[in-house]
Amino acid sequence: MSVASVRKRKEAGLAYLLLLPALVIFGVFTFYPFLKNFKLALYQNPPYPGLPAKYVGLSQVTSVLGSSAFHQSLISTFLFVIMVVPTGLIGGLLLALAAHKEIKGMAVFRTIFSSTVVSSVAVAAVVFGTLMNPIVGLLPWLGLNVHPSILQSPTWALPAVAMIAIWQFLGLSFIIMTAGLQSLPEEVLEAARLDGAGTWTMFWRVTVPLLSPTLFFGLVIGTIYAFQSFGQIDILIGPANSAFTHTNVLLYYVYQALSIQNDPGLAAVLSIVLFAILLVVTLLQMRFLEKRVHYASN
Amino acid sequence: MAQVTFDRVFKRFGDTTAVADLSLDVADGELLVLLGPSGCGKTTALRMVAGLEEVSDGSLSIGGTIVNDIAPKDRDVAMVFQSYALYPHMTVAKNIEFPLRQQRVPAAERAERSLAAATTLGLEGLLDRKPGQLSGGQRQRVALARAIVRDPKVFLMDEPLSNLDASLRVQTRADIVALQRRLTTTTLYVTHDQVEAMTMGHRIAILRDGELQQVAAPQDLYERPANTFVASFLGSPGMNLVDAAVAGSTLSISGTEVPLPAHLAATPDGPVVAGIRPESASLGSGGVAAVVALVEQLGAETHVICSLPDDTKVVVRQGHGAVRPDIGEAVSIELDPTAIHLFSADDGARLETSP
């Protein structure tokens, strides 16, 4: 064996050694549960606790995928994501544009706009829950009579929960957009001003294309965030109201299947579907949107 | 085409004055270079013409119209930036035609004019590329094409060559000069590179700490610098400046007496600063006594840096083949009396009694 290849082997050994702690942690808490999940999906829960789970192969998967509860959850999930992501991104961008001016006291607004990032989901949910309360909330104060509660309305419960998610995502979206705006090349914007671009052209033909990596990053992050929203639903709709399924987005459905219905098999199948959807959506975003993203190259 | 006039223009940023009391005329069709060390206010002056910086005081006019309150896009000026500032998401063709599109020029005319501009700069083969796929020199040419396509009243160039490598810089320098002479568009060109300034400008305006020092044709600046700053800033190395005294018709430098030339003969007695270009000094005998501090060999010429007894450094430029002294060697610096410049010991202003 040559000296070079011995050294290469030694270097590889050291690399694996350094990777080991991360591998162990990921292995125990991510990879093992991830694989175990696939196994769980193949076993049906016994009708009575204590009996062994029964191997049913893919039949459990097909029955879950065919169930109307799953279909409803899927629709709720996509509605939720569609409500949260574009609104959060556009809202964050508008706030960032508004705050991207060197005016005295602007730091105060920047702090306010980004503050939703550091507020906890639980606090936000309780505050919004109070505001939406049919007796003491904002709506009766405005003279609107909403009974029993918008959180129990099949039509309004999902938008209401989405609103909290949007509010909370706004802070992160604002920070991402502000960082993007601040890193725009000043001279290119100045060149556009000299070339005669008005405000509208400037925004659509120069700022937005230059900001596209940021917008794309925000889209991926926002999508994953929306798919993983849980706390708002759990706190506002809650296990106490488990018959109300209009806000059962996939992740919440997974939780419900496991902790309320005590059905690990169902939960496993739903988790796999959620994983598959996130994977496909992210791949689609990368495949079709990233082409239109311009990364600065100097 | 138009002339640009600065009339007692000031630019202040808070307590800092970036440009102070600048009065300067750029003639129609002229290429005027704003030259100075970094932080001298030359870029600020240029950006005021562009409208990217507001004028704090005074008036700035383009083609006889005061533009202080006119938006950049309505000034009809085109700027070439140091970083090229191309639109990275657009092709070369789209970049070049962008200004025309903003002016709502019809598509057919737009295509024709941008192709003409691209052809002028040899870019016709690169029209479908994006800036990221171009070399620095090509990007710079796209930036120039985008500037000339509009046929603006004034070109503004902010150190356009400083991101190019040395050989490309020489080539592009010549290209810009040829282009400007052909288009005869009034051009303000900012640089800190005196070689660029000397070779490109019809005239050069030298700034220091926001104040205009001198405006003149390149050779005039070199031969008749208005003050010690211009004298030492221009030339590589700059003019040697030595404390001296005038007594009658002789100049006493470090104990050596040199006869004053006719045009300086009437200089009143007293302390002065004497200036001598490195090429007007030579090593010989009977001159100013000094010790060699450093010898820099540049191939075609050699710079001998000598130290006078009071520690003032004097650079002597020697041609190819001259005898090179050793470091520490005692030498005698001979000065060509006709090439001596005198400056006031008080404010550094040029002293001249007859033209």
Side-chain angles (χ1 to χ4, degrees):
Chain A
M1 218 184 313
S2 71
V3 181
S5 71
V6 170
R7 208 175 62 194
K8 244 184 173 171
R9 279 184 92 129
K10 274 191 174 169
E11 272 186 14
L14 180 66
Y16 283 117
L17 190 71
L18 293 172
L19 279 173
L20 196 63
L23 280 176
V24 168
I25 291 168
F26 276 117
V28 172
F29 294 105
T30 303
F31 302 140
Y32 172 72
F34 179 76
L35 295 175
K36 179 75 188 285
N37 200 40
F38 282 95
K39 191 186 165 199
L40 277 177
L42 304 176
Y43 286 83
Q44 195 168 36
N45 213 32
Y48 303 105
L51 297 175
K54 186 173 136 207
Y55 177 81
V56 291
L58 289 174
S59 76
Q60 177 165 249
V61 176
T62 50
S63 76
V64 171
L65 295 186
S67 72
S68 68
F70 170 73
H71 292 156
Q72 205 202 344
S73 173
L74 210 55
I75 291 168
S76 300
T77 307
F78 278 98
L79 280 177
F80 185 81
V81 171
I82 289 165
M83 282 186 267
V84 172
V85 181
T87 326
L89 285 179
I90 293 167
L93 178 59
L94 292 178
L95 287 179
L97 285 169
H100 189 60
K101 293 192 172 77
E102 287 311 318
I103 301 174
K104 235 182 177 170
M106 194 48 88
V108 178
F109 285 94
R110 291 203 186 113
T111 312
I112 294 172
F113 293 158
S114 51
S115 63
T116 69
V117 169
V118 290
S119 59
S120 90
V121 183
V123 172
V126 170
V127 170
F128 274 88
T130 312
L131 289 175
M132 290 169 186
N133 187 290
I135 297 155
V136 298
L138 195 62
L139 297 176
W141 186 73
L142 287 170
L144 293 171
N145 187 10
V146 277
H147 275 286
S149 160
I150 52 169
L151 291 173
Q152 276 150 40
S153 151
T155 322
W156 293 108
L158 192 67
V161 176
M163 201 174 86
I164 305 168
I166 292 167
W167 180 82
Q168 200 129 33
F169 178 49
L170 268 184
L172 181 62
S173 173
F174 169 75
I175 291 172
I176 294 174
M177 298 300 168
T178 299
L181 283 178
Q182 285 175 349
S183 66
L184 291 186
E186 197 62 41
E187 291 198 333
V188 176
L189 301 178
E190 288 177 347
R193 273 173 73 193
L194 282 170
D195 282 345
T199 315
W200 191 252
T201 315
M202 191 81 164
F203 180 73
W204 286 110
R205 306 265 332 257
V206 183
T207 308
V208 169
L210 288 177
L211 207 57
S212 58
T214 306
L215 292 169
F216 179 71
F217 175 71
L219 179 70
V220 174
I221 295 287
T223 307
I224 293 170
Y225 165 80
F227 270 105
Q228 295 187 341
S229 291
F230 172 83
Q232 302 93 337
I233 300 164
D234 190 46
I235 290 164
L236 290 178
I237 313 295
N241 202 3
S242 61
F244 187 80
T245 54
H246 297 279
T247 52
N248 268 8
V249 297
L250 267 177
L251 187 68
Y252 195 72
Y253 192 16
V254 171
Y255 164 77
Q256 233 188 19
L258 190 69
S259 67
I260 294 163
Q261 300 178 28
N262 271 319
D263 191 341
L266 173 61
V269 175
L270 293 172
S271 309
I272 291 166
V273 172
L274 181 59
F275 163 73
I277 290 175
L278 274 179
L279 185 71
V280 170
V281 167
T282 308
L283 285 177
L284 284 178
Q285 285 174 340
M286 295 208 164
R287 173 95 173 69
F288 292 106
L289 282 175
E290 203 172 18
K291 269 194 206 157
R292 306 181 55 174
V293 168
H294 159 77
Y295 291 101
S297 49
N298 274 316
Chain B
M1 274 176 270
Q3 67 174 43
V4 175
T5 306
F6 292 85
D7 185 12
R8 310 210 61 183
V9 167
F10 282 82
K11 176 67 198 180
R12 301 185 189 90
F13 295 101
D15 294 337
T16 321
T17 302
V19 173
D21 203 7
L22 175 63
S23 291
L24 180 64
D25 269 312
V26 189
D28 186 11
E30 183 181 23
L31 195 162
L32 184 117
V33 176
L34 292 172
L35 176 68
S38 54
C40 72
K42 56 194 190 296
T43 294
T44 308
L46 190 79
R47 288 170 61 85
M48 282 194 280
V49 180
L52 296 171
E53 301 289 356
E54 278 181 33
V55 175
S56 304
D57 215 341
S59 73
L60 181 63
S61 51
I62 299 174
T65 313
I66 294 181
V67 295
N68 286 31
D69 299 320
I70 293 180
K73 67 187 174 75
D74 300 321
R75 294 190 181 195
D76 199 13
V77 298
M79 185 152 166
V80 177
F81 293 83
Q82 183 177 348
S83 66
Y84 322 131
L86 300 178
Y87 307 116
H89 54 289
M90 296 183 197
T91 61
V92 168
K94 294 270 184 210
N95 260 286
I96 296 173
E97 67 158 29
F98 187 82
L100 298 181
R101 204 178 260 272
Q102 304 317 309
Q103 293 175 348
R104 312 213 184 288
V105 173
E109 188 191 337
R110 211 161 63 207
E112 192 186 319
R113 282 171 65 181
S114 35
L115 182 65
T119 312
T120 302
L121 287 145
L123 292 165
E124 57 276 39
L126 305 170
L127 290 174
D128 295 326
R129 303 249 190 109
K130 293 227 174 130
Q133 298 164 288
L134 303 179
S135 68
Q138 290 168 332
R139 285 184 213 182
Q140 186 54 271
R141 290 193 339 246
V142 176
L144 284 168
R146 187 176 64 180
I148 67 168
V149 75
R150 293 159 56 175
D151 193 15
K153 282 191 198 148
V154 180
F155 285 141
L156 304 173
M157 304 199 184
D158 187 6
E159 311 227 6
L161 305 182
S162 55
N163 284 1
L164 301 180
D165 61 46
S167 63
L168 200 55
R169 204 177 305 157
V170 173
Q171 175 61 41
T172 314
R173 195 167 79 198
D175 290 346
I176 292 179
V177 169
L179 192 66
Q180 199 274 337
R181 302 291 189 266
R182 190 157 66 75
L183 300 172
T184 62
T185 306
T186 312
T187 304
L188 261 150
Y189 186 104
V190 162
T191 183
H192 65 269
D193 182 326
Q194 53 169 302
V195 178
E196 260 174 47
M198 296 292 283
T199 53
M200 298 179 79
H202 289 113
R203 286 189 303 156
I204 301 173
I206 295 191
L207 284 100
R208 178 202 194 185
D209 296 338
E211 289 177 19
L212 182 62
Q213 305 292 307
Q214 187 175 8
V215 197
Q219 205 57 36
D220 288 348
L221 275 182
Y222 192 78
E223 288 170 0
R224 295 164 53 83
N227 57 37
T228 47
F229 174 76
V230 175
S232 59
F233 186 74
L234 273 190
S236 177
M239 188 184 284
N240 295 301
L241 298 170
V242 185
D243 288 333
V246 173
S249 61
T250 55
L251 178 71
S252 158
I253 300 174
S254 191
T256 305
E257 304 218 324
V258 182
L260 279 177
H263 69 282
L264 293 171
T267 310
D269 288 2
V272 291
V273 175
I276 190 91
R277 293 267 174 214
E279 62 270 28
S280 304
S282 57
L283 298 183
S285 57
V288 180
V291 173
V292 175
L294 190 66
V295 178
E296 290 179 335
Q297 294 176 24
L298 302 173
E301 60 185 50
T302 301
H303 298 161
V304 181
I305 296 134
C306 308
S307 203
L308 300 187
D310 67 353
D311 222 22
T312 307
K313 297 284 185 287
V314 173
V315 182
V316 175
R317 175 179 289 165
Q318 288 189 313
H320 194 63
V323 180
R324 267 181 238 122
D326 295 323
I327 293 174
E329 193 179 324
V331 289
S332 169
I333 306 170
E334 285 182 27
L335 307 176
D336 173 2
T338 60
I340 288 175
H341 304 250
L342 291 186
F343 302 95
S344 156
D346 301 326
D347 58 4
R350 181 178 188 80
L351 299 175
E352 213 155 20
T353 46
S354 60

